[in-house]
Amino acid sequence: MSTKFLITRAFSVQLDKEDALASFRKEFLFPTFGKRTTYFCGHSLGLQPKKTKELMLTELNDWSTWAVEGHWKATNPWLTYHQSFAKPLSVLTGAYPDEVVAMNSLTANLHFMFASFYRPAGKKIKIITEAWNFPSDRYALESLVKLYGYDPKKVIIELKPAKKNTQLSTEEICACIEKNKSTVALVFFNGVNYYSGQAFDMAAITQAAHLAGAFAGFDLAHAIGNINLHLHDWKVDFAVWCSYKYLNGGPGAVGGAFVHQQHGHDKTTPRMAGWWGHDQNTRFNLEGGFKPLSGAAGFQVSNAPIMNMVGLKASLDLFMEAGWPAISKKRNTMFGYMLFLIKALCTNDHKKQFSIQIITPTLANTHGCMLSIRVHQQKGKELFDVLLKKGFMLDWREPDVIRIAPVPLYNTYQEVYSFVLELSKHAVLVEK
Ligand SMILES: Cc1ncc(COP(=O)(O)O)c(C=O)c1O
């Protein structure tokens, strides 16, 4: 793979020719919206793997053939269907297979994990989180502390960077944890912020939380299948995610959770229990007396939503075939290429209607594949509308940001080139 980028279209063609993952593009279905469109919205909803339909038909056929017996006799028996996710999810999260489980949905999993890992005691009742958390996470945190009778404004510390228009630094986060060490019970961040695309230093945040005697948990909605994760080695206590973004599981697909072995192997770890988390040897004795399975599986509550897992299965097969190191390498190259082109082409050589600023941190390990661009003009959404009209499916986040995610498994360098070329006709890059 070439390392020094050039601004010619021919160079983007060359990059595609050298792309070790190029063949995976044909494994996905691309929406056309009635005309040829470049899809850069994998951060919101990943594309459908072609295999999904076939796998879905298998389940529908097995259901009609076997009905209840499908739990044992289906092509992929439903009783154990969820277990096939342990291996690939462990690869993507840097975990042991027994530390991960596909279950529920993201915000539901947040509530389940908070029930286990928010254990206010004495003065230690506070939660440190980022101010620009996704709203669902904020609602979950607020409702959690209210359940304990606390005032969210007094108990939840929402951290903002000291300097306006900058990103939260690891130092600022760790200093805040240290400063509140006598009162903090839980530190909860995103792996990658949904708005800015900033990837947080989860190892450092976890270490600081533990030094302060608090648990550390992460929302990996924008991180899983996007950035390198080493949850076990980082000693993260818990994490949750959805599977409909970079994991291409389909709208509302089953979510997932990580519970560190330290807690997963401890049967006394508090939890909200249900029969699917119960010891599988005695699950069907249908008796009282909850005996948790060891590991993250012991945090399941309900039987597996098979139809909601099929898309994830199809996609994870592709992830495993492609191999995480190759995906991770292409993500960095594509991101670097897009950045290079924006800097090289969005210059002030003639009058342009919009000025843009990159708000995603660009140093290694501080971002995933998504780049967020702030548009300075009041009618900034018009830039988004122009790009959409030209066939680029991006997304607009109020009040002023366009998010663009070239996804290694299905996007091409030529798409990145065409996008930046179009962007450069309308926008000039400015520092602030
Ligand atoms: C960071 C983040 N957290 C939480 C959610 C909510 O997810 P769900 O509706 O699956 O609970 C989303 C959805 O996009 C998200 O991006």
Side-chain angles (χ1 to χ4, degrees):
M1 176 62 69
S2 318
T3 46
K4 199 169 166 297
F5 300 126
L6 303 177
I7 59 166
T8 59
R9 181 176 290 280
F11 186 73
S12 69
V13 174
Q14 184 189 331
L15 285 173
D16 281 329
K17 269 196 198 138
E18 293 172 8
D19 177 9
L21 298 181
S23 64
F24 284 88
R25 181 175 168 86
K26 67 173 180 354
E27 302 297 337
F28 291 88
L29 292 166
F30 287 80
T32 58
F33 307 101
K35 58 180 187 246
R36 200 170 150 64
T37 304
T38 295
Y39 193 77
F40 282 147
C41 274
H43 57 270
S44 192
L45 184 73
L47 291 180
Q48 184 186 138
K50 285 184 182 161
K51 193 86 186 288
T52 303
K53 203 175 271 178
E54 181 193 321
L55 291 184
M56 192 69 88
L57 272 179
T58 302
E59 297 313 327
L60 289 173
N61 288 337
D62 281 348
W63 181 17
S64 63
T65 308
W66 297 110
V68 69
E69 297 234 302
H71 285 92
W72 302 273
K73 293 185 176 163
T75 315
N76 307 298
W78 304 328
L79 199 62
T80 51
Y81 195 94
H82 58 285
Q83 291 172 2
S84 68
F85 296 111
K87 179 71 185 133
L89 289 176
S90 75
V91 171
L92 297 184
T93 54
Y96 286 96
D98 70 350
E99 290 179 311
V100 287
V101 64
M103 63 177 190
N104 312 320
S105 56
L106 200 172
T107 311
N109 282 335
L110 263 183
H111 283 292
F112 286 118
M113 290 296 125
F114 287 160
S116 291
F117 293 99
Y118 180 57
R119 303 182 201 164
K123 269 169 58 189
K124 284 185 85 67
I125 58 173
K126 294 206 173 163
I127 298 174
I128 297 178
T129 190
E130 56 191 301
W132 294 297
N133 223 330
F134 191 79
S136 198
D137 300 35
R138 298 177 76 176
Y139 306 149
L141 285 171
E142 283 165 18
S143 62
L144 170 75
V145 301
K146 280 185 185 164
L147 275 176
Y148 283 91
Y150 302 133
D151 175 354
K153 287 200 184 69
K154 293 194 179 135
V155 169
I156 302 172
I157 302 172
E158 291 194 334
L159 201 49
K160 275 191 189 138
K163 270 212 295 204
K164 220 178 153 224
N165 286 335
T166 56
Q167 299 298 341
L168 264 177
S169 69
T170 306
E171 291 70 31
E172 281 173 297
I173 299 167
C174 294
C176 174
I177 297 170
E178 156 73 15
K179 190 173 142 214
N180 292 284
K181 65 181 174 204
S182 59
T183 55
V184 65
L186 174 66
V187 176
F188 174 69
F189 272 72
N190 278 256
V192 173
N193 181 278
Y194 79 99
Y195 194 78
S196 67
Q198 176 181 15
F200 289 103
D201 185 339
M202 289 178 256
I205 294 172
T206 302
Q207 194 184 19
H210 290 171
L211 282 173
F215 289 116
F218 295 90
D219 175 343
L220 302 180
H222 291 261
I224 192 164
N226 182 20
I227 63 167
N228 300 342
L229 296 167
H230 302 282
L231 299 183
H232 178 85
D233 290 347
W234 294 341
K235 300 190 170 51
V236 164
D237 295 296
F238 72 89
V240 295
W241 55 86
C242 55
S243 307
Y244 44 78
K245 298 180 188 294
Y246 298 110
L247 295 190
N248 314 312
V254 67
F258 163 90
V259 180
H260 198 281
Q261 279 181 348
Q262 189 195 345
H263 310 296
H265 288 179
D266 178 356
K267 305 218 161 164
T268 68
T269 298
R271 69 194 76 198
M272 307 290 272
W275 75 320
W276 228 246
H278 184 88
D279 170 24
Q280 63 199 30
N281 297 318
T282 56
R283 185 184 291 151
F284 286 91
N285 293 356
L286 305 173
E287 295 162 344
F290 177 69
K291 289 198 198 90
L293 283 164
S294 189
F299 291 76
Q300 294 170 103
V301 286
S302 295
N303 74 94
I306 305 300
M307 300 305 170
N308 219 5
M309 291 177 147
V310 166
L312 180 60
K313 185 169 169 39
S315 173
L316 289 181
D317 285 351
L318 295 173
F319 270 90
M320 292 306 102
E321 201 185 323
W324 180 250
I327 296 171
S328 176
K329 189 170 166 211
K330 182 172 171 189
R331 174 207 60 226
N332 278 340
T333 312
M334 268 191 149
F335 184 92
Y337 181 56
M338 181 157 64
L339 198 63
F340 162 81
L341 288 176
I342 292 176
K343 285 182 182 166
L345 299 177
C346 295
T347 51
N348 206 4
D349 46 6
H350 62 273
K351 200 166 158 15
K352 292 176 183 175
Q353 203 185 340
F354 300 97
S355 54
I356 55 169
Q357 174 201 350
I358 290 169
I359 64 164
T360 306
T362 55
L363 294 178
N365 302 321
T366 61
H367 60 82
C369 68
M370 184 179 89
L371 190 74
S372 297
I373 287 177
R374 172 164 290 144
V375 191
H376 285 163
Q377 279 64 27
Q378 260 198 346
K379 291 186 177 167
K381 189 162 181 288
E382 286 177 5
L383 174 60
F384 168 78
D385 292 336
V386 167
L387 294 167
L388 190 65
K389 249 195 208 134
K390 292 285 174 185
F392 297 99
M393 190 72 201
L394 321 162
D395 77 4
W396 173 257
R397 281 284 166 266
E398 294 295 348
D400 54 8
V401 161
I402 296 175
R403 303 187 303 175
I404 311 126
V407 170
L409 269 181
Y410 51 71
N411 284 122
T412 66
Y413 292 94
Q414 288 173 71
E415 288 178 314
V416 172
Y417 183 83
S418 299
F419 163 68
V420 180
L421 199 63
E422 188 58 42
L423 177 72
S424 72
K425 292 179 190 159
H426 313 280
V428 58
L429 181 66
V430 295
E431 285 295 312
K432 280 199 177 130

